[in-house]
Short mmCIF file of all heavy atoms in Angstrom, two decimals:
data_model
loop_
_atom_site.label_atom_id
_atom_site.label_comp_id
_atom_site.label_asym_id
_atom_site.label_seq_id
_atom_site.Cartn_x
_atom_site.Cartn_y
_atom_site.Cartn_z
N LYS A 48 80.14 189.23 -6.88
CA LYS A 48 80.92 188.74 -5.73
C LYS A 48 82.28 189.46 -5.73
O LYS A 48 82.96 189.46 -6.76
CB LYS A 48 81.22 187.26 -5.83
CG LYS A 48 79.86 186.44 -5.94
CD LYS A 48 79.34 186.07 -4.60
CE LYS A 48 78.16 185.15 -4.83
NZ LYS A 48 77.30 185.05 -3.70
N ASP A 49 82.64 190.07 -4.64
CA ASP A 49 83.88 190.75 -4.54
C ASP A 49 84.99 189.71 -4.31
O ASP A 49 84.91 188.94 -3.37
CB ASP A 49 83.91 191.77 -3.42
CG ASP A 49 83.24 193.05 -3.81
OD1 ASP A 49 82.98 193.26 -5.04
OD2 ASP A 49 83.00 193.86 -2.93
N ASP A 50 85.94 189.69 -5.16
CA ASP A 50 87.10 188.76 -5.04
C ASP A 50 88.24 189.64 -4.69
O ASP A 50 88.46 190.70 -5.27
CB ASP A 50 87.28 188.03 -6.35
CG ASP A 50 88.30 186.97 -6.26
OD1 ASP A 50 89.18 187.06 -5.37
OD2 ASP A 50 88.26 186.05 -7.09
N LYS A 51 89.05 189.19 -3.78
CA LYS A 51 90.21 189.93 -3.27
C LYS A 51 91.19 190.21 -4.50
O LYS A 51 91.98 191.14 -4.39
CB LYS A 51 90.94 189.24 -2.15
CG LYS A 51 90.10 189.24 -0.90
CD LYS A 51 90.78 188.50 0.17
CE LYS A 51 89.85 188.42 1.38
NZ LYS A 51 90.42 187.71 2.51
N ASN A 52 91.12 189.40 -5.53
CA ASN A 52 91.99 189.61 -6.66
C ASN A 52 91.45 190.58 -7.74
O ASN A 52 92.12 190.96 -8.65
CB ASN A 52 92.29 188.26 -7.34
CG ASN A 52 93.03 187.35 -6.37
OD1 ASN A 52 93.88 187.77 -5.63
ND2 ASN A 52 92.70 186.05 -6.48
N ASP A 53 90.19 190.98 -7.52
CA ASP A 53 89.55 191.93 -8.46
C ASP A 53 90.00 193.29 -8.21
O ASP A 53 90.12 193.76 -7.04
CB ASP A 53 88.03 191.83 -8.41
CG ASP A 53 87.47 190.52 -8.92
OD1 ASP A 53 88.23 189.79 -9.62
OD2 ASP A 53 86.31 190.21 -8.66
N LYS A 54 90.15 194.11 -9.28
CA LYS A 54 90.45 195.49 -9.18
C LYS A 54 89.38 196.25 -9.90
O LYS A 54 89.36 196.14 -11.12
CB LYS A 54 91.86 195.75 -9.72
CG LYS A 54 92.23 197.21 -9.63
CD LYS A 54 93.65 197.42 -10.16
CE LYS A 54 94.01 198.93 -10.08
NZ LYS A 54 95.31 199.18 -10.71
N TRP A 55 88.58 197.01 -9.23
CA TRP A 55 87.56 197.83 -9.86
C TRP A 55 88.09 199.09 -10.33
O TRP A 55 88.81 199.81 -9.59
CB TRP A 55 86.40 198.09 -8.86
CG TRP A 55 85.60 196.85 -8.57
CD1 TRP A 55 85.85 195.94 -7.57
CD2 TRP A 55 84.45 196.42 -9.24
NE1 TRP A 55 84.93 194.94 -7.61
CE2 TRP A 55 84.04 195.24 -8.62
CE3 TRP A 55 83.69 196.90 -10.29
CZ2 TRP A 55 82.93 194.50 -9.04
CZ3 TRP A 55 82.61 196.23 -10.70
CH2 TRP A 55 82.21 195.02 -10.08
N HIS A 56 87.84 199.46 -11.60
CA HIS A 56 88.31 200.75 -12.14
C HIS A 56 87.20 201.79 -12.10
O HIS A 56 87.46 202.98 -12.03
CB HIS A 56 88.77 200.56 -13.60
CG HIS A 56 90.00 199.74 -13.66
ND1 HIS A 56 91.29 200.30 -13.49
CD2 HIS A 56 90.20 198.43 -13.85
CE1 HIS A 56 92.21 199.36 -13.58
NE2 HIS A 56 91.59 198.21 -13.81
N ARG A 57 85.97 201.35 -12.15
CA ARG A 57 84.83 202.28 -12.16
C ARG A 57 83.57 201.55 -11.72
O ARG A 57 83.31 200.47 -12.15
CB ARG A 57 84.62 202.83 -13.58
CG ARG A 57 83.61 203.92 -13.68
CD ARG A 57 83.54 204.48 -15.06
NE ARG A 57 84.77 205.06 -15.51
CZ ARG A 57 85.08 206.37 -15.49
NH1 ARG A 57 84.17 207.18 -15.00
NH2 ARG A 57 86.24 206.82 -15.91
N VAL A 58 82.82 202.25 -10.88
CA VAL A 58 81.48 201.69 -10.47
C VAL A 58 80.47 202.77 -10.65
O VAL A 58 80.44 203.78 -9.98
CB VAL A 58 81.54 201.29 -8.94
CG1 VAL A 58 80.17 200.76 -8.55
CG2 VAL A 58 82.61 200.15 -8.73
N GLU A 59 79.66 202.61 -11.72
CA GLU A 59 78.65 203.64 -12.09
C GLU A 59 77.23 203.17 -11.97
O GLU A 59 76.34 204.00 -11.91
CB GLU A 59 78.93 204.13 -13.53
CG GLU A 59 80.26 204.82 -13.63
CD GLU A 59 80.45 205.39 -15.09
OE1 GLU A 59 79.74 204.95 -15.99
OE2 GLU A 59 81.32 206.21 -15.25
N ARG A 60 76.97 201.91 -11.98
CA ARG A 60 75.63 201.43 -11.93
C ARG A 60 75.01 201.63 -10.54
O ARG A 60 75.70 201.43 -9.56
CB ARG A 60 75.57 199.93 -12.32
CG ARG A 60 75.92 199.66 -13.73
CD ARG A 60 75.87 198.19 -14.13
NE ARG A 60 76.78 197.45 -13.26
CZ ARG A 60 76.53 196.22 -12.91
NH1 ARG A 60 75.44 195.59 -13.23
NH2 ARG A 60 77.39 195.60 -12.16
N CYS A 61 73.77 202.09 -10.52
CA CYS A 61 73.12 202.40 -9.26
C CYS A 61 72.82 201.09 -8.54
O CYS A 61 72.41 200.08 -9.13
CB CYS A 61 71.80 203.15 -9.53
SG CYS A 61 72.09 204.76 -10.23
N ARG A 62 72.96 201.11 -7.22
CA ARG A 62 72.61 200.00 -6.38
C ARG A 62 71.91 200.53 -5.19
O ARG A 62 71.89 201.72 -4.89
CB ARG A 62 73.94 199.33 -5.92
CG ARG A 62 74.64 198.60 -7.04
CD ARG A 62 76.07 198.25 -6.61
NE ARG A 62 76.76 197.51 -7.64
CZ ARG A 62 77.36 198.08 -8.71
NH1 ARG A 62 77.28 199.33 -8.92
NH2 ARG A 62 77.97 197.31 -9.54
N GLY A 63 71.21 199.61 -4.51
CA GLY A 63 70.50 200.04 -3.29
C GLY A 63 69.03 200.28 -3.57
O GLY A 63 68.50 200.04 -4.64
N LYS A 64 68.38 200.84 -2.53
CA LYS A 64 66.93 201.13 -2.63
C LYS A 64 66.65 202.39 -3.47
O LYS A 64 67.52 203.28 -3.53
CB LYS A 64 66.34 201.32 -1.25
CG LYS A 64 66.40 200.04 -0.42
CD LYS A 64 65.77 200.24 0.91
CE LYS A 64 65.89 198.92 1.67
NZ LYS A 64 65.20 199.02 3.01
N PHE A 65 65.54 202.37 -4.11
CA PHE A 65 65.16 203.54 -4.95
C PHE A 65 63.65 203.71 -4.76
O PHE A 65 62.91 202.78 -4.42
CB PHE A 65 65.48 203.36 -6.40
CG PHE A 65 64.69 202.30 -7.10
CD1 PHE A 65 63.48 202.61 -7.70
CD2 PHE A 65 65.15 201.02 -7.13
CE1 PHE A 65 62.77 201.56 -8.31
CE2 PHE A 65 64.45 200.02 -7.77
CZ PHE A 65 63.25 200.29 -8.37
N PHE A 66 63.17 204.96 -4.96
CA PHE A 66 61.73 205.24 -5.06
C PHE A 66 61.52 206.55 -5.80
O PHE A 66 62.37 207.42 -5.76
CB PHE A 66 61.07 205.16 -3.75
CG PHE A 66 61.39 206.36 -2.84
CD1 PHE A 66 60.56 207.48 -2.87
CD2 PHE A 66 62.45 206.35 -2.03
CE1 PHE A 66 60.85 208.58 -2.08
CE2 PHE A 66 62.75 207.42 -1.20
CZ PHE A 66 61.95 208.54 -1.24
N ARG A 67 60.42 206.55 -6.49
CA ARG A 67 59.96 207.75 -7.19
C ARG A 67 58.54 207.95 -6.74
O ARG A 67 57.72 207.03 -6.60
CB ARG A 67 59.99 207.54 -8.70
CG ARG A 67 61.35 207.44 -9.30
CD ARG A 67 62.25 208.69 -9.18
NE ARG A 67 61.63 209.95 -9.56
CZ ARG A 67 61.72 210.46 -10.74
NH1 ARG A 67 62.38 209.84 -11.70
NH2 ARG A 67 61.16 211.60 -11.04
N ARG A 68 58.17 209.24 -6.54
CA ARG A 68 56.80 209.59 -6.13
C ARG A 68 56.25 210.64 -7.05
O ARG A 68 56.95 211.61 -7.41
CB ARG A 68 56.82 210.10 -4.69
CG ARG A 68 57.18 209.06 -3.66
CD ARG A 68 57.35 209.65 -2.27
NE ARG A 68 56.21 210.38 -1.81
CZ ARG A 68 55.15 209.88 -1.11
NH1 ARG A 68 55.14 208.58 -0.89
NH2 ARG A 68 54.16 210.63 -0.76
N PHE A 69 54.97 210.46 -7.39
CA PHE A 69 54.26 211.44 -8.30
C PHE A 69 52.88 211.71 -7.73
O PHE A 69 52.09 210.71 -7.53
CB PHE A 69 54.15 210.83 -9.72
CG PHE A 69 55.47 210.48 -10.39
CD1 PHE A 69 55.95 209.21 -10.26
CD2 PHE A 69 56.18 211.43 -11.06
CE1 PHE A 69 57.17 208.84 -10.79
CE2 PHE A 69 57.41 211.07 -11.67
CZ PHE A 69 57.84 209.80 -11.52
N ARG A 70 52.56 212.94 -7.52
CA ARG A 70 51.23 213.34 -7.07
C ARG A 70 50.33 213.35 -8.29
O ARG A 70 50.59 214.01 -9.30
CB ARG A 70 51.18 214.65 -6.42
CG ARG A 70 49.76 215.08 -6.02
CD ARG A 70 49.73 216.22 -5.05
NE ARG A 70 50.42 215.95 -3.82
CZ ARG A 70 50.02 215.19 -2.80
NH1 ARG A 70 48.86 214.60 -2.90
NH2 ARG A 70 50.71 215.06 -1.71
N LEU A 71 49.24 212.51 -8.26
CA LEU A 71 48.39 212.38 -9.40
C LEU A 71 47.33 213.47 -9.39
O LEU A 71 46.88 213.89 -8.34
CB LEU A 71 47.71 210.98 -9.39
CG LEU A 71 48.65 209.79 -9.43
CD1 LEU A 71 47.90 208.49 -9.27
CD2 LEU A 71 49.39 209.73 -10.74
N PRO A 72 46.89 213.82 -10.59
CA PRO A 72 45.84 214.83 -10.70
C PRO A 72 44.49 214.24 -10.24
O PRO A 72 44.31 213.03 -10.18
CB PRO A 72 45.83 215.26 -12.16
CG PRO A 72 46.44 214.12 -12.91
CD PRO A 72 47.41 213.44 -11.89
N GLU A 73 43.52 215.10 -10.04
CA GLU A 73 42.20 214.72 -9.60
C GLU A 73 41.45 213.73 -10.53
O GLU A 73 40.68 212.96 -10.14
CB GLU A 73 41.27 215.91 -9.34
CG GLU A 73 41.66 216.72 -8.16
CD GLU A 73 40.68 217.87 -7.94
OE1 GLU A 73 39.44 217.65 -8.12
OE2 GLU A 73 41.16 218.93 -7.59
N ASN A 74 41.85 213.87 -11.85
CA ASN A 74 41.08 213.03 -12.79
C ASN A 74 41.65 211.62 -12.97
O ASN A 74 41.22 210.87 -13.76
CB ASN A 74 41.06 213.70 -14.18
CG ASN A 74 42.43 213.79 -14.81
OD1 ASN A 74 43.46 213.52 -14.20
ND2 ASN A 74 42.45 214.17 -16.08
N ALA A 75 42.61 211.23 -12.10
CA ALA A 75 43.18 209.84 -12.18
C ALA A 75 42.23 208.84 -11.50
O ALA A 75 41.80 209.05 -10.33
CB ALA A 75 44.57 209.84 -11.53
N ARG A 76 41.95 207.78 -12.20
CA ARG A 76 41.14 206.69 -11.65
C ARG A 76 42.02 205.72 -10.92
O ARG A 76 42.48 204.71 -11.53
CB ARG A 76 40.32 206.04 -12.72
CG ARG A 76 39.33 207.01 -13.35
CD ARG A 76 38.30 206.28 -14.10
NE ARG A 76 37.56 205.36 -13.21
CZ ARG A 76 36.41 204.82 -13.50
NH1 ARG A 76 35.83 205.04 -14.60
NH2 ARG A 76 35.84 204.00 -12.63
N THR A 77 42.31 205.92 -9.69
CA THR A 77 43.24 205.09 -8.95
C THR A 77 42.78 203.66 -8.69
O THR A 77 43.51 202.79 -8.34
CB THR A 77 43.66 205.75 -7.65
OG1 THR A 77 42.48 205.99 -6.88
CG2 THR A 77 44.40 207.08 -7.92
N ASP A 78 41.45 203.48 -8.93
CA ASP A 78 40.88 202.11 -8.75
C ASP A 78 41.03 201.20 -9.95
O ASP A 78 40.76 200.03 -9.88
CB ASP A 78 39.43 202.20 -8.35
CG ASP A 78 38.57 202.93 -9.37
OD1 ASP A 78 39.14 203.79 -10.12
OD2 ASP A 78 37.37 202.64 -9.46
N GLU A 79 41.62 201.73 -11.02
CA GLU A 79 41.75 200.95 -12.28
C GLU A 79 43.14 200.98 -12.85
O GLU A 79 43.37 200.95 -14.06
CB GLU A 79 40.75 201.50 -13.31
CG GLU A 79 39.27 201.28 -12.98
CD GLU A 79 38.33 201.68 -14.05
OE1 GLU A 79 38.78 201.87 -15.14
OE2 GLU A 79 37.12 201.83 -13.78
N ILE A 80 44.14 201.04 -11.97
CA ILE A 80 45.57 201.15 -12.44
C ILE A 80 46.03 199.76 -12.98
O ILE A 80 45.67 198.72 -12.41
CB ILE A 80 46.44 201.57 -11.23
CG1 ILE A 80 46.04 202.93 -10.85
CG2 ILE A 80 47.92 201.51 -11.64
CD1 ILE A 80 46.77 203.44 -9.66
N LYS A 81 46.79 199.84 -14.02
CA LYS A 81 47.41 198.64 -14.55
C LYS A 81 48.93 198.84 -14.66
O LYS A 81 49.32 199.94 -15.03
CB LYS A 81 46.80 198.26 -15.93
CG LYS A 81 45.38 197.89 -15.85
CD LYS A 81 44.84 197.48 -17.16
CE LYS A 81 43.38 197.05 -17.05
NZ LYS A 81 42.65 196.90 -18.27
N ALA A 82 49.73 197.81 -14.40
CA ALA A 82 51.13 197.89 -14.49
C ALA A 82 51.64 196.68 -15.25
O ALA A 82 51.17 195.60 -15.02
CB ALA A 82 51.77 197.99 -13.12
#
Side-chain angles (χ1 to χ4, degrees):
K48 304 272 187 199
D49 280 348
D50 188 336
K51 293 179 183 179
N52 296 324
D53 290 345
K54 179 179 178 183
W55 289 87
H56 291 277
R57 187 177 299 263
V58 177
E59 293 183 345
R60 295 181 298 146
C61 295
R62 291 165 176 81
K64 294 182 181 184
F65 68 88
F66 71 93
R67 294 296 310 269
R68 294 173 54 89
F69 302 93
R70 177 164 303 281
L71 298 175
E73 289 183 40
N74 68 350
R76 295 196 60 163
T77 57
D78 57 333
E79 295 185 15
I80 296 174
K81 293 184 179 169

